Amino acid sequence: MDFSIIRKNGGLVKPYEQTPSETLDLSVIDRLPVLRCNTRTLHVFRHGPEAAEVIREALSKALVPYYPLAGRLEESNNGQLQICCGGEGVWFVEASANCTLDSVNYFDNVESIPYLQLLPDYVPQDEHNEPLVQMQVTQFECGGFVIGLLFSHTICDGLGAAQFLTAVGELARNRNITQLTISPVWSRNFSPNFTTTPPPIPPPPMPNYKLQHATIDISTDHITQIKQQFNKSTSQNCSTFEVIAATFWKHRTISINLTHDTEIKLVFFANCRRVLDTPLPKGFYGNCFFPVTITVSSERLTRASDIEVIKLIREAKGKVGEEFNEYLKVGESEPFGPAVGYTSLFMSEWGRLGFNEVDYGWGKPVHVIPIQGSGIMPVGIVGSLPLGNKGVRLMTWCVEELHRPQFLLRMMKLN
């Protein structure tokens, strides 16, 4: 069918009440050049009549305690990135679609999603400073709705963004509450080397490959089986992410058929809120993570068992606390500039961030869809299956067309 939307209103949503007018410093992690981008997601809800009106009001109220999100990025006189809090607001668009969500299968097919229509359109900018949060609520004929969200990665990581949306949901469900369940905490001065500016990372070279999309649903039975095997072999437990990362990395490496002496990498970010010498308080919503990088030869990985690969991942994760605290003292930027190329694989875990738990008054989302960015780094995103289904959905942009059939053949056996 011809899918189309009509955007009715677009404008700034400002804090519901007067908020502090001040300039706030960002952490050394917030200021990393690699985070100067917007994350883009779609949040699909089965039901929610008049959702835009309800969410707009709740958004305005949430921007009172989360007032830095209504500000703008600016550079200080010495070149440090800061947030100028002046209550300018976030960009909000109301739209309607000409069909039901059921007719587009709740956008279950990532390749056919009309992203540009569901995400906010052009934002009028004051010079180069755009809003840190941009949202479009599209109402469908069935009464369901989709939120298209752009969020500045400089101001929040995934956990922080989900915390903010949870607050909006709490205010949407109960317009009379005066205190959020989790109060936001700024705490961006967790680094003793706060004024250090890391050297700029040169832009990565453009790849000579084109990454193809593939979505793989992995059953709970397979995950449980590998967890039991790992426990039997080591007397330890492992996580669902570790199981998926190990099998995904191994099967992709076999599928792309590298020479045995090729050095390959697996990279993912670990949440570091609790590994700091002084753990960050509950309610912190900034960036606090560190890259975990595992490097081995192609031959070693393809010959290893799933249990052995999980051990490699857990060993690397076990060092992250020490490595992160050392990084904060030294301030080097190299860990955040992983090698880009077909031999590297980046993984991100979305299923446990909290986006799938956000409720604006009509229940949790059917599913949450992260939108891939540049396509330079082969990537796999671990998420949840649509509401009501058990298992894991792995969304990937990680292989060329030449390697896609073999990759899918191997991965589909995990279902």
Side-chain angles (χ1 to χ4, degrees):
M1 64 170 294
D2 291 329
F3 174 83
S4 65
I5 69 161
I6 297 174
R7 292 186 174 97
K8 302 175 183 177
N9 298 302
L12 291 169
V13 173
K14 299 187 176 185
Y16 192 73
E17 300 171 0
Q18 185 72 30
T19 55
S21 180
E22 60 183 345
T23 299
L24 297 173
D25 289 323
L26 293 165
S27 75
V28 291
I29 307 299
D30 294 331
R31 298 199 308 260
L32 288 169
V34 71
L35 298 185
R36 292 295 296 269
C37 63
N38 289 325
T39 58
R40 305 183 299 164
T41 52
L42 299 178
H43 308 248
V44 183
F45 291 83
R46 193 180 305 276
H47 187 65
E50 307 299 329
E53 180 181 346
V54 172
I55 293 172
R56 186 199 303 266
E57 180 180 335
L59 186 60
S60 178
K61 291 179 178 179
L63 287 174
V64 176
Y66 284 92
Y67 67 90
L69 298 185
R72 298 292 183 267
L73 290 174
E74 66 171 26
E75 287 190 1
S76 66
N77 292 333
N78 62 354
Q80 298 287 347
L81 199 61
Q82 300 173 313
I83 298 295
C84 181
C85 303
E88 290 90 343
V90 303
W91 186 248
F92 187 89
V93 178
E94 182 179 351
S96 60
N98 67 338
C99 63
T100 65
L101 280 169
D102 186 64
S103 68
V104 292
N105 198 25
Y106 293 86
F107 297 113
D108 196 48
N109 182 359
V110 172
E111 292 179 277
S112 65
I113 295 175
Y115 299 110
L116 294 180
Q117 294 189 66
L118 293 168
L119 289 167
D121 58 350
Y122 171 76
V123 181
Q125 295 182 20
D126 176 14
E127 297 180 352
H128 62 281
N129 293 333
E130 65 178 9
L132 300 174
V133 181
Q134 301 170 41
M135 179 183 291
Q136 176 173 308
V137 178
T138 303
Q139 195 82 53
F140 285 73
E141 292 180 348
C142 56
F145 65 99
V146 173
I147 295 177
L149 185 69
L150 277 74
F151 220 111
S152 170
H153 209 327
T154 296
I155 192 76
C156 290
D157 59 14
L159 287 166
Q163 179 182 307
F164 173 67
L165 292 184
T166 299
V168 176
E170 192 172 349
L171 291 162
R173 295 193 308 273
N174 187 344
R175 300 182 179 186
N176 298 319
I177 62 171
T178 57
Q179 183 69 36
L180 294 170
T181 302
I182 298 177
S183 297
V185 178
W186 188 250
S187 292
R188 305 296 171 111
N189 60 342
F190 58 78
S191 168
N193 198 11
F194 190 69
T195 59
T196 297
T197 301
I201 301 173
M206 293 304 296
N208 58 359
Y209 50 78
K210 184 177 181 181
L211 301 174
Q212 301 296 318
H213 170 260
T215 295
I216 300 103
D217 293 342
I218 301 172
S219 69
T220 302
D221 290 343
H222 170 80
I223 296 168
T224 301
Q225 181 183 7
I226 299 297
K227 285 183 176 181
Q228 290 173 345
Q229 291 174 2
F230 185 83
N231 179 265
K232 183 177 180 180
S233 173
T234 66
S235 298
Q236 297 177 344
N237 296 322
C238 64
S239 70
T240 295
F241 176 79
E242 290 162 353
V243 171
I244 301 301
T247 53
F248 174 37
W249 189 29
K250 177 179 175 180
H251 288 307
R252 178 192 183 264
T253 302
I254 294 172
S255 301
I256 63 178
N257 195 28
L258 301 167
T259 58
H260 285 177
D261 60 349
T262 303
E263 185 179 84
I264 57 173
K265 296 179 184 290
L266 176 67
V267 183
F268 57 89
F269 289 129
N271 173 26
C272 291
R273 285 161 168 76
R274 307 306 298 170
V275 304
L276 287 164
D277 293 336
T278 302
L280 288 167
K282 186 178 182 180
F284 174 82
Y285 61 102
N287 292 287
C288 190
F289 52 79
F290 196 72
V292 177
T293 303
I294 305 107
T295 305
V296 296
S297 70
S298 174
E299 179 180 23
R300 180 182 178 187
L301 184 67
T302 55
R303 293 186 177 183
S305 67
D306 289 341
I307 306 305
E308 290 169 333
V309 182
I310 293 172
K311 286 181 181 178
L312 285 174
I313 294 171
R314 288 176 59 83
E315 180 181 346
K317 286 176 65 176
K319 300 175 182 177
V320 74
E322 179 182 349
E323 292 176 350
F324 182 60
N325 282 292
E326 181 64 23
Y327 163 77
L328 292 179
K329 296 174 184 177
V330 178
E332 295 179 351
S333 62
E334 284 79 359
F336 289 91
V340 174
Y342 204 54
T343 56
S344 296
L345 177 64
F346 177 76
M347 289 199 67
S348 181
E349 184 176 19
W350 280 69
R352 298 178 64 184
L353 294 177
F355 290 118
N356 292 85
E357 301 299 316
V358 176
D359 181 356
Y360 298 100
W362 305 282
K364 299 175 183 179
V366 178
H367 61 154
V368 177
I369 307 162
I371 300 174
Q372 168 66 345
S374 65
I376 293 175
M377 170 79 91
V379 65
I381 299 175
V382 181
S384 302
L385 284 172
L387 193 65
N389 297 285
K390 293 183 178 181
V392 168
R393 170 158 290 180
L394 178 63
M395 290 162 282
T396 74
W397 294 264
C398 71
V399 291
E400 297 181 275
E401 184 58 42
L402 174 67
H403 302 131
R404 190 171 184 270
Q406 175 67 11
F407 171 68
L408 286 175
L409 181 65
R410 300 190 66 88
M411 292 300 293
M412 291 304 178
K413 294 179 180 178
L414 307 182
N415 197 356

